[in-house]
Amino acid sequence: MKYEKEFNTIKEILYPDIDRSFLGFSGEDDASQIIQYTPMMMRSIAIMHAVAETIRECPHEIATAVNMIKSWIEKHEVVRILGAGRALLAASIGGNRLAHGGAIISFMGGMTPMPNTCVGGGIIAVSASGRTEHVITAMQKAKALNPNIQILGIAKNSQQAEAFIDSCDCFIGIRNRALAMANPLFALADEEEMAIAELLDGLIVQAGTELGFTEDTWRKGHEDIGPTGPYSIKDK
């Protein structure tokens, strides 16, 4: 049966003490159905591996990025999120979190304009390929207008991303070294896009943790009158 070998490998890694029916499927028809969807598990492992490899191979860049984010949080800096398509959507998760931390967030193409470069602050630029032209153009223009703006960039680690990398004060290049169990389920740049979401959100939570943030700190930064809440300080 196709993917049965991969399914058994995943089960041995993640669920060594649980039998074949660990997801509630006991009959052969049910077993073949879950094996059919093993590629979804393989895809998740590939994304997790890309994130882990990036962190392992970029400890200096990770530390620099965390310190940049800590400064933005402490100073309530303006931070612009630059990206396009699904990469921008991926970065919006971290941007949302960074707003909870106290930074002033705006998005390229958002409902309200990004603040003028004269106010300084920072930029988080994302691109799955590292070659998104209008993102690179905006990064270069920001630096030309105000060299004090700090740019954190996250994109695929590629020689073709040279212009993107050169525009960053801190660049984190996504690694996706081939696994023995290759990802058979992909569409365009989905591994890089999902890695952007996980890496950026992780960097921001790490920064908050190093600043001593508690659940109440994050709650205090969360809106509490709209549909995503209500969040407020917990009763003691």
Side-chain angles (χ1 to χ4, degrees):
M1 187 182 301
K2 191 175 183 181
Y3 296 122
E4 185 164 12
K5 178 182 176 182
E6 289 85 355
F7 172 81
N8 288 328
T9 299
I10 292 170
K11 190 185 85 65
E12 288 302 316
I13 294 170
L14 301 179
Y15 308 99
D17 301 322
I18 304 177
D19 65 21
R20 187 182 174 99
S21 62
F22 72 100
L23 289 177
F25 301 107
S26 54
E28 283 302 313
D29 289 344
D30 288 336
S32 71
Q33 185 178 41
I34 190 61
I35 291 171
Q36 175 186 349
Y37 295 115
T38 296
M40 293 178 65
M41 296 184 187
M42 296 165 70
R43 177 179 183 273
S44 296
I45 289 170
I47 293 166
M48 176 184 69
H49 181 263
V51 172
E53 278 292 289
T54 301
I55 295 168
R56 186 182 70 83
E57 293 192 21
C58 305
H60 173 73
E61 292 83 355
I62 294 293
T64 300
V66 169
N67 285 331
M68 287 174 70
I69 293 167
K70 285 165 64 176
S71 176
W72 292 339
I73 290 173
E74 288 184 307
K75 297 176 182 178
H76 302 287
E77 291 276 22
V78 164
V79 180
R80 309 155 187 85
I81 313 292
L82 307 184
R86 282 171 48 93
L88 181 59
L89 291 173
S92 71
I93 297 173
N96 190 287
R97 179 89 67 194
L98 189 52
H100 297 164
I104 302 168
I105 304 299
S106 60
F107 293 90
M108 174 176 271
M111 294 293 289
T112 57
M114 293 184 290
N116 193 285
T117 54
C118 70
V119 303
I123 285 173
I124 296 172
V126 298
S127 170
S129 65
R131 304 193 305 272
T132 309
E133 186 175 349
H134 74 269
V135 172
I136 294 170
T137 299
M139 295 163 73
Q140 293 171 339
K141 186 172 183 179
K143 275 294 190 183
L145 291 170
N146 188 343
N148 293 321
I149 290 176
Q150 288 189 308
I151 301 179
L152 166 60
I154 305 176
K156 183 176 182 179
N157 190 49
S158 168
Q159 292 181 343
Q160 295 177 321
E162 184 177 359
F164 184 99
I165 296 168
D166 289 346
S167 301
C168 296
D169 294 285
C170 176
F171 171 70
I172 297 176
I174 298 168
R175 271 65 171 174
N176 54 359
R177 179 172 56 84
L179 291 168
M181 186 171 60
N183 174 18
L185 193 68
F186 54 88
L188 300 177
D190 54 351
E191 282 187 21
E192 289 83 5
E193 290 157 351
M194 299 304 291
I196 286 169
E198 179 59 33
L199 282 165
L200 182 56
D201 201 41
L203 288 167
I204 293 162
V205 175
Q206 178 70 34
T209 299
E210 291 186 13
L211 289 172
F213 275 32
T214 64
E215 183 180 354
D216 278 350
T217 315
W218 292 114
R219 282 175 171 267
K220 186 178 179 181
H222 198 288
E223 64 93 3
D224 61 355
I225 62 172
T228 63
Y231 279 97
S232 55
I233 305 300
K234 282 185 172 180
D235 293 334
K236 301 298 182 185

Coordinates of all heavy atoms in Angstrom, one line a residue, residues 97 99-102 208-209 211-224 230-236:
R97 N 1.0 39.3 17.0 CA 1.7 39.0 18.3 C 2.5 40.2 18.8 O 2.5 40.6 19.9 CB 2.5 37.7 18.2 CG 3.2 37.4 19.5 CD 2.4 36.5 20.4 NE 2.2 35.2 19.8 CZ 1.3 34.3 20.1 NH1 0.5 34.6 21.2 NH2 1.2 33.2 19.5
A99 N 2.2 43.2 18.0 CA 1.3 44.3 18.5 C 0.8 44.1 19.9 O 0.7 45.0 20.7 CB 0.1 44.4 17.6
H100 N 0.5 42.8 20.3 CA 0.2 42.5 21.6 C 1.3 42.8 22.6 O 1.1 43.2 23.8 CB -0.1 41.0 21.8 CG -1.3 40.5 21.0 ND1 -1.5 39.2 20.7 CD2 -2.3 41.2 20.4 CE1 -2.6 39.1 20.0 NE2 -3.1 40.3 19.8
G101 N 2.6 42.7 22.1 CA 3.7 43.0 22.9 C 4.0 44.5 23.1 O 4.8 44.9 23.9
G102 N 3.3 45.4 22.3 CA 3.4 46.8 22.5 C 4.0 47.6 21.3 O 4.0 48.8 21.4
G208 N 9.5 38.2 24.1 CA 8.7 38.5 25.3 C 9.1 37.8 26.5 O 9.1 38.3 27.6
T209 N 9.4 36.5 26.4 CA 9.8 35.7 27.5 C 11.1 36.3 28.1 O 11.2 36.4 29.4 CB 10.1 34.2 27.1 OG1 8.8 33.7 26.5 CG2 10.5 33.4 28.2
L211 N 12.0 39.3 28.1 CA 11.6 40.5 28.8 C 10.8 40.3 30.0 O 10.4 41.3 30.7 CB 10.9 41.4 27.8 CG 11.7 42.0 26.7 CD1 10.7 42.7 25.7 CD2 12.7 43.0 27.2
G212 N 10.5 39.1 30.4 CA 9.7 38.8 31.6 C 8.2 38.8 31.4 O 7.5 38.9 32.4
F213 N 7.8 38.7 30.1 CA 6.3 38.7 29.9 C 5.7 37.5 30.5 O 6.2 36.4 30.5 CB 6.1 38.7 28.4 CG 6.1 40.0 27.7 CD1 6.9 41.0 28.2 CD2 5.3 40.3 26.6 CE1 6.9 42.3 27.5 CE2 5.3 41.5 26.0 CZ 6.1 42.5 26.4
T214 N 4.5 37.7 31.1 CA 3.7 36.7 31.6 C 2.4 36.6 30.7 O 2.2 37.5 29.8 CB 3.3 36.9 33.0 OG1 2.5 38.1 33.1 CG2 4.5 37.1 33.9
E215 N 1.5 35.7 31.0 CA 0.2 35.7 30.3 C -0.5 37.0 30.5 O -1.1 37.5 29.5 CB -0.6 34.5 30.8 CG -1.9 34.4 30.0 CD -2.8 33.2 30.5 OE1 -2.4 32.4 31.3 OE2 -3.9 33.1 30.0
D216 N -0.4 37.6 31.7 CA -1.1 38.8 31.9 C -0.5 40.0 31.0 O -1.2 40.9 30.6 CB -1.0 39.2 33.4 CG -2.1 38.5 34.2 OD1 -3.0 37.9 33.6 OD2 -2.1 38.6 35.4
T217 N 0.8 39.9 30.8 CA 1.4 40.9 29.9 C 0.9 40.9 28.5 O 0.5 41.9 27.9 CB 2.9 40.7 29.9 OG1 3.5 40.5 31.2 CG2 3.6 42.0 29.3
W218 N 0.8 39.6 28.0 CA 0.2 39.5 26.6 C -1.2 39.9 26.6 O -1.7 40.5 25.7 CB 0.4 38.0 26.2 CG 1.8 37.6 25.9 CD1 2.5 36.7 26.6 CD2 2.7 38.1 24.9 NE1 3.8 36.5 26.1 CE2 3.9 37.4 25.0 CE3 2.6 39.1 23.9 CZ2 5.0 37.6 24.2 CZ3 3.7 39.3 23.0 CH2 4.9 38.6 23.2
R219 N -2.0 39.5 27.7 CA -3.4 39.9 27.7 C -3.6 41.4 27.7 O -4.5 41.9 27.1 CB -4.0 39.3 29.0 CG -4.3 37.8 28.9 CD -4.9 37.2 30.2 NE -5.4 35.9 30.1 CZ -6.6 35.6 29.8 NH1 -7.5 36.5 29.7 NH2 -7.0 34.3 29.7
K220 N -2.7 42.1 28.5 CA -2.8 43.5 28.5 C -2.7 44.2 27.2 O -3.2 45.2 26.9 CB -1.8 44.1 29.5 CG -1.9 45.5 29.8 CD -0.9 46.0 30.8 CE -1.0 47.5 31.1 NZ 0.0 48.0 32.1
G221 N -1.9 43.5 26.3 CA -1.6 44.1 25.0 C -2.7 43.7 24.0 O -2.7 44.2 22.8
H222 N -3.6 42.8 24.3 CA -4.6 42.3 23.4 C -5.8 43.1 23.4 O -6.2 43.6 24.5 CB -4.9 40.8 23.8 CG -5.6 40.0 22.7 ND1 -6.9 40.3 22.3 CD2 -5.1 39.0 22.0 CE1 -7.2 39.4 21.3 NE2 -6.1 38.6 21.1
E223 N -6.4 43.3 22.2 CA -7.6 44.1 22.2 C -8.7 43.4 23.0 O -8.7 42.1 23.1 CB -8.1 44.4 20.8 CG -8.4 43.2 20.0 CD -9.9 42.8 20.0 OE1 -10.7 43.6 20.7 OE2 -10.3 41.8 19.5
D224 N -9.7 44.1 23.6 CA -10.7 43.4 24.4 C -12.1 43.9 24.2 O -13.0 43.7 25.0 CB -10.3 43.6 25.9 CG -10.3 45.1 26.3 OD1 -10.4 46.0 25.5 OD2 -10.1 45.3 27.5
P230 N -13.0 38.6 24.2 CA -12.3 39.7 24.9 C -11.2 39.1 25.8 O -11.4 38.0 26.4 CB -13.4 40.2 25.8 CG -14.4 39.1 26.0 CD -14.3 38.3 24.7
Y231 N -10.1 39.7 25.8 CA -9.0 39.4 26.7 C -8.8 40.5 27.7 O -8.8 41.7 27.3 CB -7.7 39.2 25.9 CG -7.6 37.8 25.3 CD1 -7.9 37.6 24.0 CD2 -7.2 36.7 26.1 CE1 -7.8 36.3 23.4 CE2 -7.1 35.4 25.5 CZ -7.4 35.3 24.1 OH -7.3 34.0 23.6
S232 N -8.7 40.2 28.9 CA -8.4 41.2 29.9 C -7.6 40.5 31.0 O -7.3 39.3 31.0 CB -9.7 41.7 30.5 OG -10.5 40.7 31.0
I233 N -7.1 41.4 31.9 CA -6.3 40.8 33.0 C -7.1 39.9 33.8 O -8.2 40.2 34.2 CB -5.7 42.0 33.9 CG1 -4.9 43.0 33.0 CG2 -4.8 41.4 35.0 CD1 -3.8 42.4 32.2
K234 N -6.5 38.7 34.1 CA -7.2 37.7 34.9 C -7.4 38.2 36.3 O -6.6 38.9 36.9 CB -6.4 36.4 34.9 CG -6.6 35.5 33.6 CD -5.9 34.2 33.8 CE -6.1 33.3 32.7 NZ -5.4 32.0 32.9
D235 N -8.6 37.8 36.9 CA -8.8 38.1 38.3 C -7.8 37.3 39.1 O -7.6 36.1 38.9 CB -10.2 37.7 38.6 CG -11.3 38.6 38.0 OD1 -10.9 39.7 37.6 OD2 -12.4 38.1 37.8
K236 N -7.3 38.0 40.1 CA -6.3 37.3 41.0 C -7.1 36.4 42.0 O -8.2 36.7 42.4 CB -5.5 38.3 41.7 CG -4.7 39.2 40.8 CD -3.7 38.5 39.9 CE -2.9 39.4 39.1 NZ -2.0 38.7 38.2

